[in-house]
Amino acid sequence: MNVRLSSAHKIKVLNSADIFTIMQTILLRENKIRRSQEHFWVIGLNNASKILFIELVSLGATNRVEIAPAEVFRMAIYKAAVKMILVHNHPSGSVKISEADRDFTDRMIKSGNMLAVEVLDHLVITEESYTSFADIGIMDELKQSGRYELIDKEKGWLQEMKLEAERDKERKDMARKMKEEGIDTDTIQRITQLRKIDIKKL
């Protein structure tokens, strides 16, 4: 689920406090019942460290390890993000980092390396505070861990997503040129297989 961003949220990220301020606002938008569930978000950034998107990947899950790399990186690939920040909340109010949180982050770092998407940080947040993996040195530690080589199935998912994103970009580039040449939407759709709504946005 893509989180709607205000212009105030489309900022250049300078530090973990910037991310926490935004994510705290997003979390507090929700009602009390939803805030009692664990959320997992991914934040995509461009080369200038400006936020491209915030996506809610999982809601209500209790074990981050169960989220596959393909779910985490899907939007980053389609939005051409080159950096990513992971965020999840602890409804318990504790910002203590679990071993499962560390293992999951390690796996995502290795997946990002394969896709040329750098995982910069992982924040554990509550309604009032947060812990940043990067600020306390865990990200650097995990990058050197030598663990979590991807299994062939995961590599296949990620490569297929990357190829599909490249194909999608090619189709959109073709559609854009056809629009500039005055070709009608029905013809463009038939040739490129894009949705009409996507063609109109080009």
Side-chain angles (χ1 to χ4, degrees):
M1 181 186 300
N2 201 16
V3 177
R4 186 180 296 276
L5 298 178
S6 69
S7 57
H9 290 157
K10 295 177 182 178
I11 64 168
K12 181 174 181 176
V13 175
L14 300 176
N15 52 48
S16 60
D18 292 337
I19 292 296
F20 175 63
T21 298
I22 293 168
M23 298 312 300
Q24 182 186 42
T25 301
I26 290 171
L27 183 61
L28 292 175
R29 278 183 198 164
E30 302 196 15
N31 62 45
K32 192 171 182 180
I33 294 174
R34 289 271 292 221
R35 292 202 303 270
S36 69
Q37 296 177 288
E38 191 164 328
H39 299 60
F40 177 76
W41 299 271
V42 294
I43 302 171
L45 310 173
N46 65 13
N47 265 319
S49 294
K50 289 188 177 180
I51 295 177
L52 297 174
F53 67 87
I54 299 175
E55 183 183 22
L56 176 62
V57 175
S58 176
L59 174 64
T62 58
N63 189 343
R64 294 279 62 80
V65 179
E66 294 304 316
I67 302 176
E71 296 176 80
V72 174
F73 286 92
R74 182 174 291 109
M75 185 65 75
I77 291 170
Y78 282 97
K79 293 283 188 178
V82 295
K83 304 174 187 177
M84 178 182 286
I85 295 172
L86 313 175
V87 182
H88 80 276
N89 69 311
H90 282 177
S92 65
S94 168
V95 291
K96 184 178 179 181
I97 294 170
S98 70
E99 192 59 36
D101 292 335
R102 289 173 62 98
D103 287 349
F104 174 79
T105 306
D106 196 350
R107 191 170 164 217
M108 294 307 108
I109 289 171
K110 303 313 185 317
S111 299
N113 289 344
M114 179 181 170
L115 295 167
V117 178
E118 183 182 5
V119 180
L120 297 176
D121 201 355
H122 187 169
L123 271 64
V124 177
I125 71 169
T126 69
E127 294 177 19
E128 299 177 353
S129 61
Y130 74 98
T131 296
S132 157
F133 282 49
D135 289 354
I136 60 178
I138 293 178
M139 295 303 289
D140 289 336
E141 178 187 328
L142 294 177
K143 286 174 184 177
Q144 304 300 322
S145 73
R147 298 164 63 195
Y148 286 104
E149 288 298 320
L150 299 182
I151 62 175
D152 289 341
K153 183 168 69 171
E154 290 176 334
K155 288 180 180 178
W157 288 339
L158 295 173
Q159 289 287 13
E160 182 56 36
M161 283 170 50
K162 191 172 183 179
L163 288 171
E164 180 56 34
E166 290 170 358
R167 288 192 290 263
D168 188 59
K169 183 180 183 302
E170 289 173 0
R171 289 194 294 265
K172 286 180 178 177
D173 287 345
M174 182 188 299
R176 192 176 291 108
K177 289 177 183 176
M178 293 172 75
K179 278 187 73 174
E180 290 171 358
E181 293 171 5
I183 298 172
D184 65 275
T185 301
D186 288 337
T187 301
I188 295 173
Q189 182 187 34
R190 188 174 66 253
I191 293 172
T192 64
Q193 299 299 305
L194 292 172
R195 298 180 305 168
K196 286 186 178 180
I197 189 170
D198 293 327
I199 296 170
K200 288 176 181 177
K201 289 178 182 177
L202 296 174

CSV table of all heavy atoms in Angstrom, one decimal, residues 19 40-46 53 55 57 69 71-77 81-87 108 112 115-122 139:
chain,number,residue,atom,x,y,z
A,19,ILE,N,13.5,10.9,9.3
A,19,ILE,CA,12.6,9.8,9.0
A,19,ILE,C,11.6,9.6,10.2
A,19,ILE,O,10.4,9.3,9.9
A,19,ILE,CB,13.5,8.5,8.8
A,19,ILE,CG1,14.3,8.7,7.5
A,19,ILE,CG2,12.6,7.3,8.7
A,19,ILE,CD1,13.4,8.8,6.3
A,40,PHE,N,5.1,-2.6,8.8
A,40,PHE,CA,6.5,-2.6,8.2
A,40,PHE,C,6.4,-1.7,6.9
A,40,PHE,O,5.6,-2.0,6.0
A,40,PHE,CB,7.0,-4.0,7.8
A,40,PHE,CG,8.3,-4.0,7.2
A,40,PHE,CD1,9.5,-3.8,7.9
A,40,PHE,CD2,8.4,-4.2,5.8
A,40,PHE,CE1,10.7,-3.7,7.3
A,40,PHE,CE2,9.7,-4.2,5.2
A,40,PHE,CZ,10.8,-3.9,5.9
A,41,TRP,N,7.2,-0.7,6.9
A,41,TRP,CA,7.3,0.2,5.7
A,41,TRP,C,8.6,0.2,5.1
A,41,TRP,O,9.6,-0.1,5.7
A,41,TRP,CB,7.0,1.7,6.2
A,41,TRP,CG,5.7,2.1,6.8
A,41,TRP,CD1,4.6,2.4,6.2
A,41,TRP,CD2,5.5,2.1,8.2
A,41,TRP,NE1,3.6,2.7,7.2
A,41,TRP,CE2,4.2,2.6,8.4
A,41,TRP,CE3,6.3,1.9,9.4
A,41,TRP,CZ2,3.6,2.7,9.7
A,41,TRP,CZ3,5.7,2.0,10.6
A,41,TRP,CH2,4.4,2.5,10.8
A,42,VAL,N,8.6,0.6,3.8
A,42,VAL,CA,9.9,0.8,3.1
A,42,VAL,C,9.8,2.3,2.5
A,42,VAL,O,8.8,2.7,2.1
A,42,VAL,CB,10.2,-0.2,2.0
A,42,VAL,CG1,10.4,-1.5,2.5
A,42,VAL,CG2,9.1,-0.2,0.9
A,43,ILE,N,11.0,2.9,2.6
A,43,ILE,CA,11.1,4.3,2.1
A,43,ILE,C,12.1,4.3,1.0
A,43,ILE,O,13.3,3.9,1.2
A,43,ILE,CB,11.5,5.3,3.2
A,43,ILE,CG1,10.5,5.2,4.4
A,43,ILE,CG2,11.6,6.7,2.7
A,43,ILE,CD1,10.9,6.0,5.6
A,44,GLY,N,11.7,4.7,-0.2
A,44,GLY,CA,12.6,4.8,-1.3
A,44,GLY,C,13.2,6.2,-1.5
A,44,GLY,O,12.4,7.2,-1.4
A,45,LEU,N,14.5,6.3,-1.8
A,45,LEU,CA,15.1,7.6,-2.0
A,45,LEU,C,15.8,7.6,-3.3
A,45,LEU,O,16.2,6.6,-3.9
A,45,LEU,CB,16.2,7.8,-0.9
A,45,LEU,CG,15.7,7.7,0.5
A,45,LEU,CD1,17.0,7.8,1.5
A,45,LEU,CD2,14.7,8.7,0.9
A,46,ASN,N,16.0,8.8,-3.9
A,46,ASN,CA,16.7,9.0,-5.1
A,46,ASN,C,18.2,9.3,-4.8
A,46,ASN,O,18.6,9.2,-3.6
A,46,ASN,CB,16.1,10.0,-6.0
A,46,ASN,CG,16.2,11.4,-5.4
A,46,ASN,OD1,16.9,11.7,-4.5
A,46,ASN,ND2,15.4,12.3,-6.0
A,53,PHE,N,9.0,7.6,-2.3
A,53,PHE,CA,7.8,6.9,-1.9
A,53,PHE,C,7.9,6.4,-0.5
A,53,PHE,O,9.1,6.2,0.0
A,53,PHE,CB,7.4,5.8,-2.9
A,53,PHE,CG,8.4,4.6,-2.8
A,53,PHE,CD1,8.3,3.6,-1.9
A,53,PHE,CD2,9.5,4.6,-3.7
A,53,PHE,CE1,9.2,2.5,-1.8
A,53,PHE,CE2,10.4,3.5,-3.6
A,53,PHE,CZ,10.2,2.5,-2.7
A,55,GLU,N,6.0,3.0,1.3
A,55,GLU,CA,5.1,2.0,1.1
A,55,GLU,C,4.9,1.1,2.3
A,55,GLU,O,5.9,0.7,2.9
A,55,GLU,CB,5.6,1.1,-0.1
A,55,GLU,CG,4.5,0.0,-0.4
A,55,GLU,CD,5.0,-1.0,-1.5
A,55,GLU,OE1,6.2,-1.1,-1.7
A,55,GLU,OE2,4.2,-1.7,-2.1
A,57,VAL,N,4.3,-2.3,3.5
A,57,VAL,CA,4.5,-3.6,2.9
A,57,VAL,C,3.7,-4.7,3.7
A,57,VAL,O,3.2,-5.6,3.2
A,57,VAL,CB,6.0,-4.0,2.9
A,57,VAL,CG1,6.2,-5.4,2.4
A,57,VAL,CG2,6.8,-3.0,2.0
A,69,PRO,N,12.2,-10.8,0.2
A,69,PRO,CA,12.9,-9.7,-0.4
A,69,PRO,C,12.1,-9.1,-1.6
A,69,PRO,O,12.1,-7.9,-1.8
A,69,PRO,CB,14.2,-10.3,-0.9
A,69,PRO,CG,14.4,-11.4,0.0
A,69,PRO,CD,13.1,-12.0,0.3
A,71,GLU,N,8.9,-8.6,-1.9
A,71,GLU,CA,7.9,-7.7,-1.4
A,71,GLU,C,8.5,-6.4,-1.0
A,71,GLU,O,7.9,-5.3,-1.1
A,71,GLU,CB,7.2,-8.4,-0.2
A,71,GLU,CG,6.4,-9.6,-0.5
A,71,GLU,CD,5.8,-10.2,0.8
A,71,GLU,OE1,4.8,-9.7,1.2
A,71,GLU,OE2,6.4,-11.2,1.3
A,72,VAL,N,9.7,-6.5,-0.4
A,72,VAL,CA,10.4,-5.3,0.1
A,72,VAL,C,10.9,-4.4,-1.0
A,72,VAL,O,10.8,-3.2,-0.9
A,72,VAL,CB,11.6,-5.7,1.1
A,72,VAL,CG1,12.4,-4.5,1.5
A,72,VAL,CG2,11.0,-6.4,2.3
A,73,PHE,N,11.4,-5.0,-2.1
A,73,PHE,CA,12.1,-4.2,-3.1
A,73,PHE,C,11.2,-3.9,-4.3
A,73,PHE,O,11.7,-3.2,-5.2
A,73,PHE,CB,13.4,-5.0,-3.5
A,73,PHE,CG,14.5,-4.9,-2.5
A,73,PHE,CD1,14.6,-5.9,-1.6
A,73,PHE,CD2,15.3,-3.8,-2.5
A,73,PHE,CE1,15.6,-5.8,-0.6
A,73,PHE,CE2,16.3,-3.7,-1.6
A,73,PHE,CZ,16.5,-4.7,-0.6
A,74,ARG,N,10.0,-4.4,-4.4
A,74,ARG,CA,9.2,-4.3,-5.6
A,74,ARG,C,9.0,-2.8,-5.9
A,74,ARG,O,9.3,-2.4,-7.1
A,74,ARG,CB,7.8,-4.9,-5.3
A,74,ARG,CG,6.9,-4.8,-6.6
A,74,ARG,CD,5.6,-5.6,-6.4
A,74,ARG,NE,5.8,-7.0,-6.3
A,74,ARG,CZ,5.8,-7.8,-5.2
A,74,ARG,NH1,5.4,-7.2,-4.1
A,74,ARG,NH2,6.0,-9.1,-5.3
A,75,MET,N,8.6,-2.0,-5.0
A,75,MET,CA,8.3,-0.6,-5.3
A,75,MET,C,9.6,0.2,-5.6
A,75,MET,O,9.7,1.0,-6.5
A,75,MET,CB,7.6,0.1,-4.2
A,75,MET,CG,7.2,1.6,-4.4
A,75,MET,SD,6.0,1.7,-5.7
A,75,MET,CE,4.5,1.2,-4.8
A,76,ALA,N,10.7,-0.2,-5.0
A,76,ALA,CA,12.0,0.5,-5.2
A,76,ALA,C,12.4,0.3,-6.7
A,76,ALA,O,12.9,1.2,-7.3
A,76,ALA,CB,13.1,-0.1,-4.3
A,77,ILE,N,12.2,-1.0,-7.2
A,77,ILE,CA,12.6,-1.2,-8.5
A,77,ILE,C,11.7,-0.5,-9.5
A,77,ILE,O,12.2,0.1,-10.5
A,77,ILE,CB,12.5,-2.8,-8.8
A,77,ILE,CG1,13.6,-3.5,-8.0
A,77,ILE,CG2,12.6,-3.1,-10.3
A,77,ILE,CD1,13.4,-5.0,-8.0
A,81,ALA,N,14.3,3.7,-7.3
A,81,ALA,CA,15.0,4.2,-6.1
A,81,ALA,C,16.4,3.5,-6.1
A,81,ALA,O,16.6,2.4,-6.5
A,81,ALA,CB,14.2,3.8,-4.9
A,82,VAL,N,17.3,4.3,-5.6
A,82,VAL,CA,18.7,3.8,-5.5
A,82,VAL,C,19.1,3.6,-4.0
A,82,VAL,O,20.1,3.0,-3.7
A,82,VAL,CB,19.7,4.7,-6.2
A,82,VAL,CG1,19.5,4.7,-7.7
A,82,VAL,CG2,19.7,6.1,-5.6
A,83,LYS,N,18.3,4.1,-3.1
A,83,LYS,CA,18.5,3.9,-1.7
A,83,LYS,C,17.2,3.6,-1.0
A,83,LYS,O,16.1,3.9,-1.5
A,83,LYS,CB,19.1,5.2,-1.0
A,83,LYS,CG,20.3,5.7,-1.7
A,83,LYS,CD,20.7,7.1,-1.1
A,83,LYS,CE,21.9,7.7,-1.9
A,83,LYS,NZ,22.2,9.0,-1.4
A,84,MET,N,17.3,2.9,0.2
A,84,MET,CA,16.1,2.5,0.9
A,84,MET,C,16.3,2.5,2.4
A,84,MET,O,17.4,2.3,2.9
A,84,MET,CB,15.7,1.1,0.4
A,84,MET,CG,14.5,0.5,1.2
A,84,MET,SD,14.1,-1.2,0.6
A,84,MET,CE,13.5,-0.9,-1.0
A,85,ILE,N,15.2,2.9,3.1
A,85,ILE,CA,15.2,2.8,4.5
A,85,ILE,C,14.1,2.0,5.0
A,85,ILE,O,13.0,2.1,4.5
A,85,ILE,CB,15.1,4.3,5.1
A,85,ILE,CG1,16.4,5.1,4.8
A,85,ILE,CG2,15.0,4.2,6.7
A,85,ILE,CD1,16.3,6.5,5.2
A,86,LEU,N,14.3,1.1,5.9
A,86,LEU,CA,13.3,0.2,6.4
A,86,LEU,C,12.8,0.7,7.7
A,86,LEU,O,13.6,1.3,8.5
A,86,LEU,CB,13.9,-1.2,6.6
A,86,LEU,CG,14.7,-1.8,5.5
A,86,LEU,CD1,15.3,-3.2,6.0
A,86,LEU,CD2,13.9,-2.0,4.3
A,87,VAL,N,11.5,0.6,8.0
A,87,VAL,CA,10.9,1.1,9.2
A,87,VAL,C,9.9,0.1,9.7
A,87,VAL,O,9.0,-0.3,8.9
A,87,VAL,CB,10.3,2.5,9.1
A,87,VAL,CG1,9.7,3.0,10.4
A,87,VAL,CG2,11.2,3.5,8.4
A,108,MET,N,18.1,-8.2,4.0
A,108,MET,CA,17.7,-7.1,3.0
A,108,MET,C,18.9,-6.4,2.5
A,108,MET,O,18.9,-5.9,1.3
A,108,MET,CB,16.7,-6.2,3.7
A,108,MET,CG,15.4,-6.8,4.1
A,108,MET,SD,14.5,-7.6,2.7
A,108,MET,CE,14.7,-9.4,3.2
A,112,GLY,N,19.6,-6.0,-1.4
A,112,GLY,CA,19.8,-4.7,-2.0
A,112,GLY,C,21.1,-4.6,-2.8
A,112,GLY,O,21.1,-4.0,-3.9
A,115,LEU,N,20.6,-5.8,-6.3
A,115,LEU,CA,19.8,-5.0,-7.1
A,115,LEU,C,20.3,-3.5,-7.2
A,115,LEU,O,19.7,-2.7,-7.9
A,115,LEU,CB,18.4,-4.9,-6.5
A,115,LEU,CG,17.6,-6.2,-6.5
A,115,LEU,CD1,16.3,-6.1,-5.6
A,115,LEU,CD2,17.2,-6.6,-7.9
A,116,ALA,N,21.5,-3.3,-6.6
A,116,ALA,CA,22.0,-1.9,-6.6
A,116,ALA,C,21.1,-0.9,-5.9
A,116,ALA,O,21.0,0.2,-6.4
A,116,ALA,CB,22.4,-1.4,-8.1
A,117,VAL,N,20.4,-1.4,-4.9
A,117,VAL,CA,19.6,-0.5,-4.0
A,117,VAL,C,20.2,-0.6,-2.6
A,117,VAL,O,20.2,-1.6,-2.0
A,117,VAL,CB,18.2,-0.9,-4.0
A,117,VAL,CG1,17.4,0.0,-3.0
A,117,VAL,CG2,17.5,-0.9,-5.4
A,118,GLU,N,20.8,0.5,-2.2
A,118,GLU,CA,21.5,0.5,-0.9
A,118,GLU,C,20.5,0.6,0.3
A,118,GLU,O,19.7,1.6,0.3
A,118,GLU,CB,22.5,1.6,-0.8
A,118,GLU,CG,23.3,1.6,0.5
A,118,GLU,CD,24.3,2.8,0.6
A,118,GLU,OE1,24.3,3.6,-0.3
A,118,GLU,OE2,25.1,2.8,1.5
A,119,VAL,N,20.6,-0.3,1.2
A,119,VAL,CA,19.7,-0.2,2.4
A,119,VAL,C,20.5,0.6,3.4
A,119,VAL,O,21.5,0.2,4.0
A,119,VAL,CB,19.4,-1.6,3.0
A,119,VAL,CG1,18.5,-1.5,4.2
A,119,VAL,CG2,18.6,-2.4,1.9
A,120,LEU,N,20.1,1.8,3.6
A,120,LEU,CA,20.8,2.8,4.4
A,120,LEU,C,20.6,2.6,5.9
A,120,LEU,O,21.5,2.8,6.7
A,120,LEU,CB,20.4,4.2,4.1
A,120,LEU,CG,20.7,4.7,2.7
A,120,LEU,CD1,20.1,6.1,2.5
A,120,LEU,CD2,22.2,4.7,2.4
A,121,ASP,N,19.4,2.3,6.3
A,121,ASP,CA,19.1,2.2,7.7
A,121,ASP,C,17.8,1.4,8.0
A,121,ASP,O,17.1,1.1,7.0
A,121,ASP,CB,18.8,3.6,8.3
A,121,ASP,CG,19.0,3.8,9.8
A,121,ASP,OD1,19.2,2.8,10.5
A,121,ASP,OD2,18.9,4.9,10.3
A,122,HIS,N,17.6,1.0,9.2
A,122,HIS,CA,16.3,0.4,9.6
A,122,HIS,C,16.0,1.0,11.0
A,122,HIS,O,16.8,1.0,11.9
A,122,HIS,CB,16.6,-1.1,9.8
A,122,HIS,CG,15.3,-1.9,10.1
A,122,HIS,ND1,15.3,-3.3,10.0
A,122,HIS,CD2,14.1,-1.5,10.4
A,122,HIS,CE1,14.0,-3.7,10.3
A,122,HIS,NE2,13.3,-2.6,10.6
A,139,MET,N,24.2,-1.2,11.1
A,139,MET,CA,24.3,-1.3,9.6
A,139,MET,C,25.7,-1.7,9.2
A,139,MET,O,25.9,-2.6,8.3
A,139,MET,CB,23.7,-0.1,9.0
A,139,MET,CG,22.3,0.2,9.2
A,139,MET,SD,21.1,-1.1,8.8
A,139,MET,CE,21.2,-1.0,7.0
